[in-house]
Amino acid sequence: MKLFVYGGAILLIIPFQVVVIHQFAIGSIVPDSILLTICLVGLWRGKLEAVVLGIGLGFLQDLLSGSMLWVNLITKPLIGLAAGVWGRTVLSLTSWIIPIFVMGISFISNLLVLVFFKIHSPEMDIIRAFFGTFLPQVLYDGVFGAIVLLAVFLLFPTLYRNVRNL
Amino acid sequence: MFHSRSRTKKAWNVFLILFLVGLAFSPFFAAKSLNVIAVPLAEIIKVPLTVTSSLERKLEEGGGVIRDLIDLYNQNQLLADELARMQIEQNRLKEIAAVAERYRLLFDFKQQCPYSTVVAQVIGRDPTNWHRSVVIAKGERDGVIAGMGVITPLGVVGRVLKVNRTFSVIQLILDRDNITTAVVQRTRDEGIVQGSENGQVIMKYLPPLSVVEPGDVVVTSGLDGRFPKGMVIGIVNQVEKKIATPFKSATLTLHEDFSKLEEVIVLLSTNVLGERGGECFMQHKDEREA
């Protein structure tokens, strides 16, 4: 049953990120709904399921992206792990901490990507990449993530109670 | 005593009855006497009658107006529904016309282009912000191979990066990992065109004595084997010479907005087909719109 649910989630979220999310683009920056999904699963179901889902989603994200490196295959399970550990044991997830939480997760993910790309192509302009992609992405992920997570928690209060161990 | 009173009463009653009957059977006297009462009575009764009658008429008229309003409202609703349907239909037809126009341009281009090509629909965009790429609905089974050039009737789009059986990922020339050999059409100065982190396209390694200037058209040089010679890449927007490097570089304005790409053409081969000669004729978008 769980396999079908996660399979269905993957089949929904990947086309959403590849086709629909560009409607929400600010400049050329789009929020990472895959990262958000993994965060939510990490908070709700724990680190193990988030890591497994991160592997699946990261693989497909790399398959469809214009990168020859499999960076998302590495970063996405890692952020699943971080969300699972950090979100459930360290933080008390109140409404004002959600954007900071998502920004933190996005920061880790994008920092890893930046490091990978810099190692792979040393001529990369790190300042331009930081201000052109990294920073806008982290901020947009935080805002978008907060809106989506708050909406999910409002729609499903039991989920929120579950996440906060209430 | 009692009997005589009763008899008198009866006599009066009989008299009164006879008087009234007589009055009833005497038309001249009755009409005259009734007219005396009837005329003022009629005048009095006429007022409420007239008022009631006019009220009824007004109510009828008012009822008619309300009925008309209800009819108008219903008609308005029907017309609004019809209008909404027509607008949807009009939008659908506009969309079909736009698609038909795009396909006509692609078809015309394909007809006069002397290379083997395949038209592909763009079905998605890069799921990350770190790269500039699109996903097209053509793959290995359509003859697409990694490294092939991708164009539109307006100019160069990028190259095939990853190929699957039914879809491919196209790396746009905006991507910092994409490098294309190019030449300035007017001065014939060669260089390489590369994307950058902030989405700009830059022509690098132009000779230091190059007289390239804003407005010059940059085309493919054909040296990389991916594109034939002379395909439009963009127009020079700004030329600069940094102190740290002996070469000049130029920022390019591309021929179209890549965030709105809907169909592209994959160059399956850069060898000229059969009897066809010449080059693909590419127009700048301003010329085409004009």
Side-chain angles (χ1 to χ4, degrees), chain B residues 7 44 76-77 90 106 121 131 172 180 197 206-207 260:
Chain B
R7 208 172 286 156
I44 293 164
N76 195 24
Q77 286 292 105
Q90 192 192 21
L106 285 169
Q121 198 183 4
H131 289 278
L172 302 175
T180 309
E197 283 77 15
L206 281 164
K260 290 172 186 159

Side-chain angles (χ1 to χ4, degrees), chain A residues 84-115:
Chain A
V85 174
W86 196 22
R88 296 205 84 179
T89 57
V90 181
L91 289 172
S92 173
L93 211 66
T94 50
S95 57
W96 63 270
I97 217 154
I98 289 173
I100 298 168
F101 172 75
V102 182
M103 271 187 217
I105 294 286
S106 177
F107 184 89
I108 295 168
S109 167
N110 283 293
L111 191 66
L112 285 169
V113 172
L114 195 65
V115 169

Side-chain angles (χ1 to χ4, degrees), chain B residues 163-217:
Chain B
V163 187
N164 220 286
R165 207 176 120 66
T166 53
F167 69 88
S168 311
V169 177
I170 308 301
Q171 189 180 54
L172 302 175
I173 50 170
L174 292 166
D175 194 284
R176 66 186 153 72
D177 290 343
N178 192 310
I179 293 172
T180 309
T181 56
V183 61
V184 180
Q185 205 170 39
R186 184 178 62 86
T187 62
R188 310 312 293 173
D189 292 322
E190 286 185 359
I192 62 161
V193 169
Q194 190 176 12
S196 67
E197 283 77 15
N198 56 0
Q200 279 186 326
V201 178
I202 299 162
M203 186 171 186
K204 295 177 175 174
Y205 309 118
L206 281 164
L209 298 176
S210 168
V211 288
V212 62
E213 55 189 41
D216 281 341
V217 177

Side-chain angles (χ1 to χ4, degrees), chain A residues 151-164:
Chain A
V152 169
F153 289 154
L154 281 174
L155 285 172
F156 308 102
T158 46
L159 184 68
Y160 182 62
R161 282 197 289 276
N162 193 319
V163 166
R164 291 200 66 187

Side-chain angles (χ1 to χ4, degrees), chain B residues 98-155:
Chain B
V99 171
E101 178 62 17
R102 284 204 314 273
Y103 277 119
R104 190 187 63 78
L105 288 175
L106 285 169
F107 181 75
D108 288 351
F109 181 80
K110 206 168 147 52
Q111 287 294 101
Q112 57 93 22
C113 187
Y115 310 106
S116 172
T117 57
V118 61
V119 175
Q121 198 183 4
V122 174
I123 54 168
R125 293 176 200 285
D126 200 296
T128 71
N129 289 311
W130 292 97
H131 289 278
R132 308 273 190 266
S133 68
V134 292
V135 184
I136 60 166
K138 288 280 157 71
E140 268 173 3
R141 68 171 184 190
D142 306 289
V144 179
I145 299 169
M148 284 176 167
V150 181
I151 56 173
T152 68
L154 296 174

Side-chain angles (χ1 to χ4, degrees), chain A residues 20 24 38 43 45 53 59 72-73 86 98 107 110 115 128-129 162:
Chain A
V20 184
F24 300 95
I38 296 166
L43 291 171
R45 304 295 303 173
L53 187 70
F59 174 77
N72 288 296
L73 186 59
W86 196 22
I98 289 173
F107 184 89
N110 283 293
V115 169
R128 265 189 186 170
N162 193 319

